[in-house]
Amino acid sequence: METLPRRYPLGIQTFQKIIEENMLYVDKTELIYKLTQSYSYVFLSRPRRFGKSLLVSTLASYFRGEKELFKGLAMERLEKQWKKHPVIHLSLASVKEIEPEKIEESLSDRLRDIEHQFGIERKSNILGSRLKDIIQQTTEQYGEKAVVVLDEYDAPLLNVLHDEQRLKEVRQLMRTLYAPLKDCDPYLRFVFITGISKFSQLSIFSEINNLTVISMDDEYATLCGFTQQEIEEYFQDGIKLLAEKEELTVEQTLGKLRQMYDGYHFSSDSLGVYNPYSIINALAKKKIENFWFSTGTPSFLVEMLRKFHTDISRIDGSEAAMEEFDAPTENMKSILPLFYQSGYITIKSFDRKARLFTLGFPNKEVKTGLMDNLYTYYVAPTLDYRATNIWRISKGLLEDDPETSLQTLQAYLEGIPYQDSRFDENHYTQMLYVIFSLLGLHVDSQVRTAKGRLDVVVRTEDHIYVMEVKLDRPAQEALEQIGTKNYLLPYTLDGRQLTKIGISFSTEERNVTEWVIG
């Protein structure tokens, strides 16, 4: 009889429900215990759907003294007292409004629910005063200090990030809610705050002097997400079932999962971690797809790309100083910190002498998913016939037939509705980068060499295509530049077949008009 793996907690973010229904839980309680014994005020930023809400729920169960839920976990042997603290759990994840008045109503509703939970009579309509009363009165009720957990504290701010006036108003509103935390210190055992980004002018950052930010600490880098060791220990049954369905070995399946969902690094020396949402979905549904991106790309990211005039082809391999990661979100000078915090790029390496991080896409899911979401911005305003044509372009390159690929590309671009914009050469390079990335191929763009920047490099299993783009100039000129600047030189020892391609775009035609393959 086939042994089925334990049920996966698809869409379940409540620790109590996962344990009581015997779902799979990856034990993070040793780290949680260490964290709660080391600090009193903690902030952790992680991308969306990366396990923050489950972490918060686990903390809540721990501080409520729900000892029976931790049977068999590390916390059972570590904690000896199991005090029952009042836990004030405030989640802003579902606050979707953008008008300050509506946001205030949503926050008021959440505080009303907490007041009802603890039987507290409202004495004020001011958000901060109500939170202060809740903290003080629950401490008196329980005879133990209160615990405050704020999940996705920045959700209302991210919705208005591109609107300076609304951002200012919402920031002030949030300040009134969080400001009392400092004054309530005598009543607080532990405060834990999660979000995606850091807003410096919020009182939780500017007024709580002892707030500890663990977002980039080596020690807590694996608090959310799964390490390779955890994947192989907790998910071995599911991996075997997926391997059988895909007709692969377990090792081959692990390799595919690693390529698709692993690769996040949240500190300079941390282990890599898998996206927990994606890996659980992949094993539960027995298929490898872009699960994280199916939940949607936040609209504020596209707005920020426009604001910073981001060259998407230069994101992978970009560099950032350590100080940039601590930049307040509302005062950013670059898209990189927000892209990092949102999970679209991650730390690839750290140069200690220069104090520079090298950043890049963590895995295939993120890169192809991001390109898919940015397709209408960089390539075409609609998605008509995209999948069929993208596959044909891909097929030509995979079969070492670039002529067919470029013919298909030309025919495809010809069918794209006219866009009333004059694009420069770099736009067309980015367009190629997005299209080739959608193919699932290994693509590099704006590659630095000793004599310049190479526009596009596409790698297949047995071939490397080196492409140079020109706008309103002959394709032959582009091909010759590859030779005169020795763009092939870095790839000569690779072993794969090398092909040079010069491509010419026309501003009048808004399409590829000629190419030369050498």
Side-chain angles (χ1 to χ4, degrees), residues 473-481 502 514-516:
R473 288 156 67 186
Q476 184 62 37
E477 183 180 326
L479 189 73
E480 290 173 358
Q481 182 172 321
E514 65 168 335
W515 56 84
V516 182

Side-chain angles (χ1 to χ4, degrees), residues 158-159 162 297-304:
L158 292 173
N159 291 332
H162 59 284
T297 299
S299 58
F300 73 85
L301 274 177
V302 176
E303 295 296 334
M304 296 301 283

Side-chain angles (χ1 to χ4, degrees), residues 447-454 485 487:
V447 180
R448 293 175 182 169
T449 71
K451 294 186 178 181
R453 284 182 183 269
L454 171 56
K485 295 200 173 183
Y487 284 160

Side-chain angles (χ1 to χ4, degrees), residues 303-322:
E303 295 296 334
M304 296 301 283
L305 283 168
R306 289 175 177 149
K307 176 180 178 180
F308 289 108
H309 307 289
T310 305
D311 183 343
I312 194 66
S313 66
R314 297 191 185 189
I315 290 288
D316 200 19
S318 55
E319 293 180 335
M322 182 176 285

Side-chain angles (χ1 to χ4, degrees), residues 425-490:
E425 189 172 290
N426 191 48
H427 174 84
Y428 289 103
T429 299
Q430 292 183 72
M431 178 190 288
L432 290 178
Y433 180 80
V434 170
I435 290 173
F436 290 135
S437 294
L438 276 172
L439 306 179
L441 302 173
H442 185 114
V443 187
D444 294 314
S445 182
Q446 303 295 335
V447 180
R448 293 175 182 169
T449 71
K451 294 186 178 181
R453 284 182 183 269
L454 171 56
D455 285 337
V456 180
V457 178
V458 181
R459 309 179 204 215
T460 67
E461 189 173 331
D462 54 8
H463 217 107
I464 297 178
Y465 299 97
V466 176
M467 306 179 187
E468 187 67 21
V469 174
K470 294 297 179 186
L471 184 62
D472 297 326
R473 288 156 67 186
Q476 184 62 37
E477 183 180 326
L479 189 73
E480 290 173 358
Q481 182 172 321
I482 296 174
T484 57
K485 295 200 173 183
N486 291 324
Y487 284 160
L488 293 183
L489 188 60

Side-chain angles (χ1 to χ4, degrees), residues 136-148:
Q136 292 179 347
Q137 290 187 47
T138 54
T139 298
E140 292 170 4
Q141 285 180 21
Y142 278 70
E144 294 287 350
K145 291 183 178 182
V147 170
V148 175

Side-chain angles (χ1 to χ4, degrees), residues 173-232:
L173 174 64
M174 305 303 286
R175 182 189 293 271
T176 65
L177 174 64
Y178 297 137
L181 289 175
K182 179 181 180 181
D183 296 332
C184 288
D185 184 66
Y187 302 92
L188 291 169
R189 161 64 179 89
F190 191 74
V191 175
F192 188 72
I193 305 162
T194 79
I196 292 176
S197 304
K198 174 178 178 180
F199 289 83
S200 67
Q201 294 179 37
L202 280 173
S203 58
I204 55 174
F205 295 110
S206 59
E207 294 179 18
I208 298 179
N209 298 326
N210 57 341
L211 179 68
T212 302
V213 179
I214 63 168
S215 304
M216 296 185 73
D217 281 11
D218 292 337
E219 201 168 12
Y220 298 104
T222 61
L223 195 54
C224 293
F226 304 140
T227 66
Q228 186 66 40
Q229 181 179 340
E230 288 169 337
I231 290 292
E232 296 182 27

